[in-house]
Structure formats: C-alpha cells, structure tokens
Amino acid sequence: MSDNIVHNVIIIGSGPAGLTAALYTGRANLNPLVFEGLQPGGQLTITTEVENYPGFEHGIMGPELMDIMRKQAQRFGADCQFKLVDKVDFSAQPFKVYVGKEVHLAKTVIIATGASAKLLGLSSETEFMGFGVSACATCDAFFFKDLRIIVIGGGDTAMEEANYLTKFGKEVTIIHRRDEFRASKIMLDRAKSNPKIRLITNTVLEEVLGLNENGKKRVTGARLKNVKTGEESVMEVEGIFLGIGHKPNTDVFKGQIDLEDNGYIKTSKVNTYTNIPGVFACGDAQDHVYRQAITAAGSGCMAAIDAERYLESLHG
Ligand code: NDP
C-alpha cells in the first residue's frame, strides 16, 4: 500500500550494499525503507561458501551471511519489504518510487540493485533454460549428479562454477573463447589441477542441442566451434552452465539518472553521488571493477553516510 510519509531514505536492493546502507542509515535514526527486489539478499544467496568476507575465519554460507546482515539492519529499525520497484521518478523532490500501483516518497534514494548473470543470447539457450541450461551452479548443480557438464567462460565465475560442479557431475569441461584466461591465477590453477575438469580454449558455444519429448525438454549436447580453425563439433552433455559475467540491474533507472555505456550507474569518483542530488548508488550496480561482497558493503556504508550528510544539508 502507498503511504503518505516522505521517507528520509528508500533503499532499493538488498545485497551487501543495500543491507549495509540499511544498517548505517538505521543507526543514524533515519528509519530506512528497503525494497528487497526479486532476489532478497542478492547474489550471495545463490552462492555456497563465502571464504573472503572478513570476520568469518572459517567461511560462512552466502544465504546465512545475508540473513545476518538483514537482521542486523532490522535491529536498528530498517523496514525490509520483499517488493520489486518497477519505476522511479527522480525529476523533483520528494522522489517517487513505484512498486506496481504503490507510490512511495523519499528525500533520498540509495540504489543498490546489483547485477545479474549474463546470457549468450542464443535462442536455444533460452529454450532450454531450466531444462539443462543454467547460469547458477550453486542453484542447480544438484540436478546434474553423474552427468556431463560444460561451463562457458574464462573468468573466476566460470572456474568457481566448474570446481563446484565437479562435486556432482561426472565430468566438467570449461569452454573458453580465447586462449588466455581472465580468471585469477589461484582459481585457474585450482581448476587445472582438478582431475574432473578439462579446459577447451578458442571455442564458442553455437547451439544448445536438446530434445523435447512428450513435453519434457532436456539438453543432449552442445554444438561448438573452434574460432581459430572454424571447425565445428558436437559434444554430448546433459548440462550447460553459463559463467560469462554479469549485467547491472539498472534498466528501471534509464532516463532518470546517468548510466555508463555498459549500463552501470555513473557515480562521482570520490563518493556515491549520482548526477541527481539526493540519489546515491552503491555495490555492483555502479562498480564493474571490484564486484566483491566486501567492496559492495563498503560502498553501501559510503552511500548511507553520503545520504545522511545530504539530509543534514537540507535541514541546514
Ligand atoms: P569476468 O568478466 O571476469 O569474466 C567473464 C568471462 O566470460 C570472460 O572470460 C569472458 O571472455 C567470457 N565471456 C563474456 N561474454 C562472453 C560471450 N558472449 N561468449 C563467450 N564468453 C564470454 O566475469 P566473472 O563473472 O568471471 O568475474 C567478475 C568479477 O567477480 C571478477 O572481478 C572476479 O574476480 C570476481 N569473482 C570472484 C570470485 C571469487 O573470488 N570467489 C568468484 C567469481 C567472481 P573474455 O575473457 O574473452 O572476455
């Protein structure tokens, strides 16, 4: 339901950036309203163990970490709602944030909508998505017990997904379009030393092959092409995982604030200000360089402090 309150701050998104912004604005007595979006908790809710978040010596499961962050923000008054913002109007104060027919008003908005997995754009990929094609190993690996799997990509995501998938699949083949890898050395070495992983370079996925029998779809193979020789081949597999990076979730802000050509939100180099005073951006929606949970949380903290100072400046 729409309320007639002009909130101090509305936070859009609930990954480490959004929930850290909620914690800080909560502790500043700003009573933040948080719209958690389609994936409450963000991308960490679809990972397994997070080993690189400081403070957890033995690692922590991604969903558990996000649960703790939400509870910590709620303890200081954050109102976390599982709702999706589908429109904003930043043309005048107070800003308008729409959730379907509901309109919510705010003096400041912190955007923390994160990023989502990229797809290749093949029609066969769409056709078999959820029926053997996946962009999230931790969500779907379980369905591929003792099956043959390929992972597309040459970055850390692809290496991590491949390693994880070896716990379930019979064999995992990483298909990368170049012969150099973007992945960090430690992740690449881990994949290379895993006896269940094979790497094929200079190769792209041209088509997902599958069957649709009696309304039951399943992947049966992958048509591959060597980009150096042009040679095509078919590999029999049951699972195809995409690990080719992410796209910022910023479509809803197009025309409202300045975006980079690649869709990331433009912010000042020294703080989280966007081109609209009172609108701040943090986390993976504006950071295409570091994209870590800890950097997202750090920028969420910055956005909260920026919003707090902006509000102070309004009230003189
Ligand atoms: P990256 O952008 O680093 O890598 C994407 C990979 O996918 C590249 O190898 C790229 O190829 C390939 N690719 C992109 N588009 C296509 C396409 N259309 N067809 C075929 N291949 C394609 O993204 P990641 O998600 O791997 O990593 C993002 C960031 O997150 C990095 O900073 C990474 O370090 C970090 N990360 C850290 C993890 C950890 O520490 N545990 C785990 C996962 C990610 P090309 O190289 O040719 O461009």
Side-chain angles (χ1 to χ4, degrees):
M1 239 177 38
S2 307
D3 48 39
N4 290 319
I5 305 163
V6 179
H7 296 275
N8 287 313
V9 55
I10 289 181
I11 296 167
I12 310 176
S14 58
L19 292 179
T20 304
L23 167 64
Y24 271 73
T25 50
R27 288 192 79 246
N29 280 338
L30 296 175
N31 305 312
L33 173 59
V34 184
F35 291 122
E36 295 220 11
L38 275 184
Q39 195 175 55
Q43 294 176 78
L44 283 190
T45 57
I46 54 167
T47 59
T48 46
E49 198 172 1
V50 180
E51 292 176 334
N52 54 7
Y53 200 86
F56 297 93
E57 186 187 356
H58 302 292
I60 181 167
M61 299 306 279
E64 192 188 346
L65 176 61
M66 297 322 297
D67 241 23
I68 294 171
M69 280 195 203
R70 180 181 299 105
K71 285 183 184 139
Q72 194 177 355
Q74 285 171 328
R75 190 178 142 214
F76 296 102
D79 178 5
C80 296
Q81 301 192 5
F82 293 151
K83 289 181 178 172
L84 178 69
V85 170
D86 50 20
K87 198 171 114 184
V88 293
D89 181 355
F90 296 154
S91 60
Q93 276 279 6
F95 302 127
K96 294 192 183 75
V97 174
Y98 296 82
V99 175
K101 288 189 178 134
E102 297 176 16
V103 190
H104 300 270
L105 306 175
K107 292 180 206 166
T108 66
V109 172
I110 294 177
I111 300 172
T113 44
S116 301
K118 270 195 214 161
L119 304 179
L120 291 169
L122 303 170
S123 60
S124 54
E125 166 193 56
T126 315
E127 187 185 349
F128 289 97
M129 183 59 72
F131 298 94
V133 177
S134 168
C136 174
T138 48
C139 317
D140 298 328
F142 185 78
F143 303 115
F144 295 87
K145 269 188 180 163
D146 297 324
L147 298 177
R148 296 162 295 184
I149 301 165
I150 60 174
V151 176
I152 312 291
D156 282 343
T157 297
M159 301 307 132
E160 191 175 65
E161 300 230 323
N163 265 310
Y164 183 69
L165 284 161
T166 58
K167 294 181 186 167
F168 299 85
K170 184 158 72 182
E171 56 190 38
V172 178
T173 308
I174 296 172
I175 307 284
H176 180 37
R177 64 182 175 185
R178 295 190 295 147
D179 52 12
E180 274 171 31
F181 288 86
R182 213 175 273 275
S184 53
K185 190 176 177 310
I186 184 170
M187 303 282 276
L188 183 59
D189 287 349
R190 205 179 279 174
K192 279 183 174 166
S193 63
N194 187 322
K196 275 177 139 185
I197 294 181
R198 178 164 67 119
L199 286 100
I200 297 182
T201 53
N202 297 318
T203 299
V204 292
L205 173 68
E206 292 241 294
E207 190 186 356
V208 175
L209 305 172
L211 287 174
N212 191 349
E213 291 168 328
N214 309 321
K216 279 197 178 163
K217 285 198 261 186
R218 64 187 168 91
V219 167
T220 55
R223 191 157 56 79
L224 304 171
K225 184 177 171 184
N226 182 307
V227 290
K228 287 263 163 81
T229 64
E231 194 185 325
E232 289 198 4
S233 60
V234 169
M235 189 184 286
E236 287 183 14
V237 290
E238 288 80 28
I240 297 179
F241 282 77
L242 304 158
I244 60 168
H246 295 83
K247 175 185 174 300
N249 300 320
T250 55
D251 287 353
V252 76
F253 307 110
K254 270 185 196 153
Q256 293 290 327
I257 52 169
D258 287 351
L259 304 178
E260 306 276 1
D261 290 343
N262 55 9
Y264 286 83
I265 297 170
K266 271 191 189 168
T267 50
S268 146
K269 284 200 166 52
V270 290
N271 53 37
T272 64
Y273 276 68
T274 67
N275 64 309
I276 305 284
V279 178
F280 307 89
C282 51
D284 287 14
Q286 58 90 41
D287 166 28
H288 49 92
V289 179
Y290 299 104
R291 293 183 288 192
Q292 301 299 300
I294 185 63
T295 51
S299 72
C301 160
M302 289 163 65
I305 293 173
D306 287 341
E308 190 185 347
R309 291 185 180 156
Y310 173 82
L311 286 166
E312 278 166 13
S313 76
L314 287 185
H315 301 135

